[in-house]
Amino acid sequence: MYPMHLLRRAPRRLVRAKSFFPSSLGRRKLATLSDLPKRGEKLHGFTLERAKHIPELQLTAYHFNHDRTGAEYLHIARDDKNNVFSIGFKTNPPDHTGVPHILEHTTLCGSEKYPVRDPFFKMLPRSLANFMNAFTSADHTAYPFATTNRKDFSNLMSVYMDATLHPLLNESDFAQEGWRIGPENPLAAADGATGGSDSKLVFKGVVYNEMKGQMSDASYLFYTRFQDHIFPDINNSGGDPQKMTNLTYQDLKEFHARHYHPSNAKIFTYGDIPHADLLTDVNQQLDHFEKIRVDNHIQTPINLRDGPLEFTVAGPVDPLVAKDMQHKTSISWLVGDTANILENFSLSIMASLLLDGYGSPLYRNLIEAGLGLDWSPNTGYDNGGKEGIFSVGLSGVKKGDVSKVKEAVRSTVLEVYRQGFDKGKIDGILHQLEITLKHKTATFGMRLMQRLQSGWFNGVDPINALAWDETITAFKHAFAEDGYLEGLLKKYLLNDNTLTFTMEPLESYGENLASEETERLARKLSEVSVQVGGELEARKHLTARELELVDAQDRARSQDLSCLPTVHIKDIPRELVSKQVRDSLLGDTRVQWREADTNGLTYFRAINTLEGLPTDLRMLIPLFNNAIMRLGTKQKSVEEIEDLIKLKTGGIGVSYRAATSPTDLKRATEGLMFAGSALDKNISEMYEILRMILQETNFDGSDARSRIHELLQSDANGALDAIANSGNSYARRYAETNLTSQGLLNEQSSGLTHIHYYTTLARRSPSEGMDDIISKLKAIQQFAISNSSNLRTALTCGREATSSNEATLQTFLSNLPSSNSIPASPADLAPDIFTSKTFIPVPYQVYYSALALPTVPYVHPDSAPLQILSQLLTHKHLHHEIREKGGAYGGGAYAQGVGGTFGFYSYRDPNPENTLKIMHDAGRWAQMKEWSSQDIEEAKISVFQGLDAPKSVSEEGMTRFLMGINPEMEQRKREQLLDVQIKDIQGVAQKYLVDDLGKATVAILGERKEWLDEREGWHVKNIQMVEASADAPEAAAQRS
């Protein structure tokens, strides 16, 4: 687990009103109004500003102010043992150096009470937290965690408060986490190497490499450049690598002194810990501070009242998209004060009506009309700041169509205004909100904190933002007045007070970045040379500093950690707390029942196992799943179907699923999985909608071919950014392809092989057509679902709904075909080439790598020590070598208990060649390491963080249904994990990571460099489909 950063406001492609509130946990008894402390009452160093019952969310909110410092404190009291804590600070970035982001990392590297290197990462294996992280947002920084263990809560709150308010902020930590200059391989350079890449001086640093990777994501790049123009007063909090190297250590310390003070803090707690206990603990941390003046200014966007602004910037070419469809463009309006709760909510409804779904007016008139391939990253209603921003844009736009996008948006908005909004569609959105409120989720508190925080830092009253019933009632009352939403649309969108932002492709974009970095490095080296007396002395000086950092990092490995608090194995129950399920048969179909309090909801899942599925059909199943939600039937349009889904269900979905047997790695099954939820009273309608889209989707319609091509182009358009965001997952999936049957199935259905195939289809010319693809999709439709022994289902519902659910399920099954055979494919796809060492060239500034090995099935005795070993290697070795010393944003080991593989990965890694050596040597290191009992205990705690994390009611019983792991297997594995000994760790390290290292397969994604030698067994797999256009336009810096 590594810190995750929301490096500006998260892009919203579609705003769905159902996300307005997190889901509830069920009806709870609340205190009466007379039980609440009174406004103005003094409590443990705090004054109560306001308290309010929110019965529809089963909570009570308290808003306090700290008397001595002015710190704000919001406590949400709720009968939920998954308690949440967060401390956050207003951190308006003064420039593009990323000082808030680098400070977020550096504060977690040691504090006065916990003066050890990286206490945050050291606490990961000493805690049972189910969430532990830190976030840098556009204008604030937050440090949240969640845990069900009361002792763990106190431990983590102490560590977090001390880290943020009393950090050590060592200069070596700034160099490690922020940026520095040093030899690529310092140890080789110290041994006297003067040539080659080892001694080459380069920019280094965890955040520096993280942001180089982030900037390789063209969607993020578009979004952050858009934010630069519409929000010029808020600089890039994450940091632009081109500016990051201007940040000094002194700048970092001064920024902390100005911003990380209780007077600038907002503290949030949630759960069942009494507020008096929390107030006492927090006050002890704050009470020795004095109140100071702080910069908590709320920034606002650029003024658009005087008419339209237009900006154009350069961006990279996407090699997976046609070279004539490389532009991205958007149009944006400012839409009012987000502190106006009713209007804010109403605007989110309006945005959903305009944008959400294939049948929405803007989708039809922009994407379906062929002006672009997908929404631009900033599309939607952004209410994260003081003033809302509504944006509509497209990616995958032809140069000649850029100017047409704005006109199409304006004409669509005018058309909607004249026609008015459909009440039925609004009822569907409100129905989604009702279901969301009823859904019992395990992460309610964390989601609540994340939803409230941005508004809270920008002047929105958090208690007003919680008032669900009041907001809905006010909206219904306002909507009852004719023309309410139309009036908002006219007020904010029927004008040209807009900002148009366009990114056009520049063939040399990547080369320009590399050249700029080289020139910037030369300037920095020249500065050092002047300071120390020449270029040679500068090289010696920087190498010596790097070695000092390496020495400090190495010494930290044996550091005494006794000052850090911890939970213990004794805190983990030996007995599994399992949820009772039962089985029944309806004809040949097996049904698993989980009867629980679901607040009147029913959750349905089914898996239709497919045997003998040809490769070409398997690879088209994801397209089939998208197509049945896109095409409509002969009787109903896709818009009508979408409206039915919103009005009658909590959502339905179809997906591909492959699974390995927990007892035999050679047995893997695959099939289609169906899922849906609905109010108990609507479950029959949910089944009918599912049956309709599966059996009646019209693949022969006049627009079917164009819609299928549209889906393929949209997938291709987003593929490169998807890889940039999850490159380690793609590398892992590819590396596992040769190891197990499931590995091959996963790669073909969702890996790089799948992406390559879809981009090939997306590039088809009109003359090639889609007839063969349509024919195969129709074949899939014939065997997608059947009422046979290959189908098994799972239902989660209240006991009161069991009999009605059984009857409606029986009716659903009776309307399905009794059996369907899978046709043999006359011309199946040629098998791909999978080798032990594969390099996949992609135009990123950093790398993603994976090494995978075959191991044992879930029930094998070695499975448990392998899981413990993966945690030991991650926390005791790989984090240190790959992240701290190597500068990658992430790196670690994993053990798939069900999949039967063990592996290593790195994420946003500047030096994959060195990382690969570390991975190869990890087994020998683990086998030779003198492990302590404390090491083993911490690794076990890490494993149980995930195993014992709270589950939503809809997930109960799913381990059994989806993976075939019954409670007896889970209990046995639990005992095996708790009983792992040092000798077991050394044994599996030797057996699987040393003796079987020859079975390893490797995959690396990134820019091809000199070290890659195909004569050494490397296979280069090219997934890029187009060359950059030779006449790609030079982008102007600005047009206004």
Side-chain angles (χ1 to χ4, degrees):
M1 186 193 307
Y2 290 92
M4 179 175 61
H5 313 281
L6 303 180
L7 294 171
R8 309 209 78 173
R9 295 188 184 88
R12 296 173 174 83
R13 294 182 182 235
L14 295 179
V15 175
R16 300 178 185 274
K18 66 180 181 182
S19 65
F20 190 77
F21 285 103
S23 308
S24 74
L25 283 170
R27 296 292 168 186
R28 305 293 189 185
K29 183 179 179 181
L30 294 170
T32 63
L33 196 60
S34 60
D35 295 329
L36 293 177
K38 300 297 185 287
R39 183 174 183 176
E41 187 173 338
K42 302 289 186 179
L43 295 165
H44 309 288
F46 288 83
T47 298
L48 180 67
E49 300 294 329
R50 189 180 178 195
K52 185 179 179 66
H53 285 304
I54 313 290
E56 62 272 21
L57 296 178
Q58 303 94 53
L59 59 83
T60 303
Y62 303 87
H63 194 181
F64 298 96
N65 193 278
H66 189 243
D67 297 332
R68 192 174 182 88
T69 66
E72 286 191 72
Y73 183 7
L74 180 67
H75 175 63
I76 307 296
R78 202 160 188 267
D79 188 6
D80 184 354
K81 67 179 182 178
N82 196 20
N83 288 276
V84 176
F85 170 87
S86 172
I87 182 169
F89 306 91
K90 187 74 170 178
T91 50
N92 289 325
D95 48 40
H96 291 292
T97 61
V99 59
H101 186 186
I102 294 173
L103 181 59
E104 177 229 305
H105 278 241
T106 313
T107 56
L108 300 173
C109 288
S111 65
E112 292 179 8
K113 187 176 180 180
Y114 305 108
V116 300
R117 192 173 184 86
D118 258 1
F120 176 84
F121 286 100
K122 299 288 194 306
M123 282 300 295
L124 287 175
R126 301 167 75 92
S127 165
L128 289 170
N130 52 78
F131 187 95
M132 186 176 169
N133 225 317
F135 299 90
T136 302
S137 295
D139 55 8
H140 64 276
T141 305
Y143 299 79
F145 68 80
T147 180
T148 60
N149 185 287
R150 178 72 181 269
K151 177 184 176 183
D152 197 29
F153 185 94
S154 296
N155 291 348
L156 290 173
M157 187 170 76
S158 177
V159 171
Y160 270 52
M161 295 283 278
D162 204 61
T164 53
L165 299 176
H166 306 286
L168 298 178
L169 296 184
N170 293 320
E171 189 168 6
S172 60
D173 295 325
F174 168 68
Q176 173 185 288
E177 298 298 317
W179 74 274
R180 65 191 186 277
I181 298 173
E184 199 157 50
N185 188 334
L187 297 181
D191 290 338
T194 58
S197 61
D198 285 339
S199 61
K200 177 184 177 183
L201 292 175
V202 296
F203 284 121
K204 309 177 86 170
V206 172
V207 175
Y208 186 80
N209 286 314
E210 176 192 352
M211 294 312 299
K212 285 180 71 175
Q214 193 76 59
M215 291 295 193
S216 296
D217 179 342
S219 290
Y220 172 83
L221 182 65
F222 178 91
Y223 185 80
T224 199
R225 296 294 186 241
F226 162 75
Q227 285 286 325
D228 291 342
H229 288 82
I230 201 164
F231 244 120
D233 289 337
I234 295 186
N235 295 297
N236 187 344
S237 61
D240 187 332
Q242 295 181 345
K243 306 296 183 182
M244 196 176 291
T245 51
N246 293 329
L247 183 68
T248 68
Y249 173 54
Q250 188 62 34
D251 294 335
L252 182 87
K253 293 194 296 181
E254 291 175 358
F255 190 84
H256 179 271
R258 292 195 305 270
H259 294 85
Y260 277 48
H261 189 279
S263 299
N264 192 38
K266 296 188 189 298
I267 299 167
F268 174 95
T269 54
Y270 162 93
D272 63 2
I273 299 176
H275 67 268
D277 295 351
L278 293 166
L279 290 170
T280 300
D281 292 343
V282 173
N283 182 56
Q284 289 176 357
Q285 299 276 358
L286 304 183
D287 205 40
H288 58 281
F289 286 90
E290 297 289 344
K291 189 171 185 177
I292 65 170
R293 294 186 63 181
V294 295
D295 173 20
N296 54 12
H297 180 66
I298 297 173
Q299 305 286 11
T300 55
I302 194 170
N303 182 4
L304 296 178
R305 288 190 294 271
D306 296 330
L309 297 175
E310 295 186 10
F311 300 94
T312 300
V313 301
V317 173
D318 187 335
L320 301 185
V321 176
K323 64 182 181 181
D324 63 340
M325 304 182 76
Q326 295 279 339
H327 285 71
K328 297 178 176 69
T329 189
S330 67
I331 177 173
S332 302
W333 292 263
L334 305 183
V335 289
D337 189 345
T338 56
N340 184 329
I341 302 297
L342 171 60
E343 188 170 271
N344 182 36
F345 176 77
S346 303
L347 288 168
S348 73
I349 297 284
M350 186 179 76
S352 183
L353 292 167
L354 290 171
L355 288 165
D356 199 357
Y358 296 118
S360 65
L362 283 169
Y363 187 95
R364 290 197 312 266
N365 291 344
L366 296 176
I367 298 176
E368 188 174 299
L371 289 176
L373 301 178
D374 203 352
W375 298 118
S376 63
N378 61 336
T379 293
Y381 175 45
D382 182 349
N383 59 359
K386 173 66 175 174
E387 194 163 2
I389 302 171
F390 180 72
S391 301
V392 183
L394 297 176
S395 58
V397 181
K398 294 180 179 179
K399 181 179 179 180
D401 288 341
V402 169
S403 61
K404 299 176 184 178
V405 173
K406 181 176 181 179
E407 183 54 40
V409 172
R410 294 177 63 181
S411 62
T412 301
V413 170
L414 181 60
E415 178 185 4
V416 171
Y417 171 74
R418 289 171 175 168
Q419 294 180 353
F421 290 103
D422 184 347
K423 182 180 182 302
K425 294 182 184 296
I426 295 171
D427 289 340
I429 293 173
L430 296 179
H431 175 258
Q432 294 296 297
L433 290 167
E434 178 188 2
I435 287 187
T436 300
L437 192 65
K438 287 179 172 290
H439 175 56
K440 298 170 71 173
T441 177
T443 58
F444 180 90
M446 186 57 64
R447 294 174 61 193
L448 190 70
M449 182 276 295
Q450 292 171 341
R451 193 187 70 80
L452 293 175
Q453 201 155 57
S454 289
W456 191 13
F457 274 103
N458 283 280
V460 177
D461 185 319
I463 292 183
N464 287 344
L466 286 169
W468 159 263
D469 274 354
E470 292 177 10
T471 303
I472 290 295
T473 300
F475 172 77
K476 289 180 177 178
H477 179 76
F479 185 72
E481 301 292 328
D482 287 343
Y484 170 64
L485 284 180
E486 292 80 4
L488 289 178
L489 190 149
K490 179 180 180 181
K491 176 181 178 181
Y492 290 119
L493 304 187
L494 290 184
N495 57 66
D496 203 16
N497 299 330
T498 59
L499 184 145
T500 300
F501 181 77
T502 301
M503 180 174 283
E504 60 183 16
L506 181 64
E507 180 183 0
S508 61
Y509 187 84
E511 294 176 5
N512 292 354
L513 284 181
S515 297
E516 187 280 333
E517 185 177 54
T518 300
E519 294 169 3
R520 179 162 36 92
L521 178 63
R523 290 196 302 271
K524 290 292 182 183
L525 290 174
S526 178
E527 293 172 8
V528 178
S529 297
V530 170
Q531 295 169 5
V532 301
E535 183 179 343
L536 182 59
E537 291 303 313
R539 179 176 293 277
K540 290 179 180 179
H541 171 73
L542 293 169
T543 300
R545 286 185 56 184
E546 186 74 11
L547 291 172
E548 289 173 5
L549 177 59
V550 170
D551 181 63
Q553 292 165 336
D554 286 338
R555 281 187 281 108
R557 301 186 74 161
S558 56
Q559 200 170 21
D560 180 10
L561 304 181
S562 59
C563 66
L564 288 176
T566 185
V567 294
H568 299 281
I569 285 295
K570 65 182 180 182
D571 298 317
I572 300 173
R574 192 170 181 84
E575 295 298 318
L576 173 71
V577 180
S578 60
K579 303 297 183 181
Q580 188 67 37
V581 299
R582 65 179 178 87
D583 297 314
S584 70
L585 275 175
L586 288 178
D588 291 330
T589 300
R590 292 160 289 169
V591 184
Q592 174 183 291
W593 296 88
R594 167 64 185 146
E595 291 152 318
D597 177 11
T598 61
N599 274 352
L601 291 173
T602 291
Y603 302 93
F604 166 80
R605 290 179 180 86
I607 296 176
N608 190 35
T609 301
L610 304 175
E611 298 173 354
L613 187 64
T615 300
D616 60 338
L617 296 186
R618 176 182 304 114
M619 294 182 71
L620 286 173
I621 282 180
L623 179 61
F624 171 81
N625 298 338
N626 289 333
I628 60 176
M629 305 300 293
R630 175 68 185 98
L631 297 183
T633 70
K634 291 181 179 179
Q635 285 75 36
K636 290 188 181 296
S637 69
V638 66
E639 182 179 0
E640 292 172 318
I641 293 172
E642 288 176 339
D643 289 345
L644 273 176
I645 291 172
K646 290 177 183 176
L647 195 58
K648 296 297 182 180
T649 81
I652 58 175
V654 184
S655 59
Y656 172 84
R657 178 170 179 80
T660 298
S661 165
T663 61
D664 184 357
L665 293 182
K666 296 179 180 178
R667 290 172 47 208
T669 59
E670 62 181 326
L672 277 167
M673 179 173 169
F674 316 98
S677 63
L679 296 172
D680 292 339
K681 65 179 182 180
N682 291 334
I683 196 68
S684 60
E685 285 91 341
M686 183 203 75
Y687 284 136
E688 174 54 23
I689 296 169
L690 182 60
R691 185 205 64 78
M692 177 176 61
I693 64 170
L694 285 170
Q695 295 188 315
E696 297 181 11
T697 291
N698 184 14
F699 288 97
D700 293 319
S702 59
D703 58 358
R705 284 154 182 78
S706 63
R707 300 292 170 260
I708 296 296
H709 194 237
E710 170 193 306
L711 291 172
L712 288 166
Q713 288 185 312
S714 179
D715 282 348
N717 179 67
L720 196 67
D721 294 341
I723 298 171
N725 276 320
S726 306
N728 56 316
S729 297
Y730 282 98
R732 278 177 51 175
R733 195 176 292 123
Y734 198 88
E736 293 169 1
T737 300
N738 273 345
L739 303 184
T740 66
S741 297
Q742 183 181 344
L744 177 62
L745 299 179
N746 287 340
E747 173 61 22
Q748 291 178 342
S749 61
S750 59
L752 295 169
T753 302
H754 176 262
I755 287 176
H756 186 215
Y757 179 51
Y758 274 37
T759 53
T760 302
L761 295 179
R763 290 279 290 146
R764 282 190 176 185
S765 65
S767 61
E768 292 175 288
M770 285 283 149
D771 288 350
D772 59 327
I773 303 302
I774 295 289
S775 176
K776 291 177 181 180
L777 293 175
K778 291 168 67 176
I780 294 172
Q781 186 178 34
Q782 294 303 308
F783 60 75
I785 191 168
S786 62
N787 182 11
S788 68
S789 58
N790 283 347
L791 183 70
R792 54 193 178 90
T793 67
L795 283 166
T796 301
C797 62
R799 292 186 182 277
E800 71 282 358
T802 298
S803 59
S804 61
N805 264 304
E806 188 168 35
T808 52
L809 178 59
Q810 179 68 71
T811 301
F812 170 65
L813 295 173
S814 67
N815 289 323
L816 301 179
S818 58
S819 64
N820 285 313
S821 59
I822 298 175
S825 187
D828 203 357
L829 294 175
D832 207 343
I833 300 173
F834 298 103
T835 62
S836 61
K837 296 166 65 176
T838 305
F839 187 90
I840 300 98
V842 284
Y844 302 150
Q845 300 178 63
V846 287
Y847 294 82
Y848 306 85
S849 59
L851 182 152
L853 292 149
T855 56
V856 293
Y858 179 86
V859 298
H860 194 283
D862 285 349
S863 178
L866 282 167
Q867 281 188 266
I868 302 299
L869 175 60
S870 71
Q871 296 301 312
L872 287 167
L873 283 170
T874 295
H875 296 293
K876 301 299 182 181
H877 183 53
L878 299 173
H879 170 78
H880 171 72
E881 294 292 332
I882 297 175
R883 190 179 195 269
E884 291 184 346
K885 293 169 68 174
Y889 181 45
Y894 65 94
Q896 288 189 329
V898 179
T901 57
F902 189 100
F904 307 91
Y905 66 91
S906 72
Y907 182 73
R908 292 180 180 167
D909 185 353
N911 194 349
E913 186 181 16
N914 186 60
T915 296
L916 199 55
K917 294 175 184 176
I918 294 168
M919 293 174 176
H920 273 108
D921 294 340
R924 178 63 64 190
W925 183 90
Q927 198 275 331
M928 299 294 291
K929 169 74 174 174
E930 294 184 4
W931 299 107
S932 68
S933 58
Q934 179 66 30
D935 293 334
I936 304 301
E937 176 160 320
E938 289 180 4
K940 291 177 182 179
I941 290 170
S942 295
V943 170
F944 279 92
Q945 284 176 356
L947 287 179
D948 288 354
K951 293 182 178 179
S952 302
V953 65
S954 58
E955 297 303 313
E956 294 173 356
M958 286 300 104
T959 301
R960 180 178 185 263
F961 179 73
L962 298 176
M963 302 178 185
I965 299 173
N966 60 40
E968 292 75 22
M969 292 179 186
E970 285 191 275
Q971 179 62 41
R972 192 180 311 118
K973 173 60 75 67
R974 189 179 189 88
E975 294 170 3
Q976 291 171 342
L977 287 166
L978 290 170
D979 294 340
V980 167
Q981 303 295 314
I982 293 175
K983 62 180 177 62
D984 302 323
I985 297 298
Q986 293 171 330
V988 294
Q990 178 68 41
K991 182 176 181 180
Y992 299 102
L993 275 62
V994 177
D995 296 343
D996 286 353
L997 187 59
K999 299 178 182 178
T1001 54
V1002 175
I1004 299 178
L1005 286 70
E1007 183 182 2
R1008 184 169 180 172
K1009 293 290 182 68
E1010 297 81 15
W1011 59 265
L1012 185 76
D1013 190 344
E1014 293 181 58
R1015 293 173 297 180
E1016 295 182 1
W1018 284 99
H1019 169 67
V1020 178
K1021 178 181 175 65
N1022 185 15
I1023 64 169
Q1024 302 184 28
M1025 294 304 300
V1026 302
E1027 295 296 328
S1029 172
D1031 56 352
E1034 293 285 335
Q1038 175 177 318
R1039 296 174 188 160
S1040 59

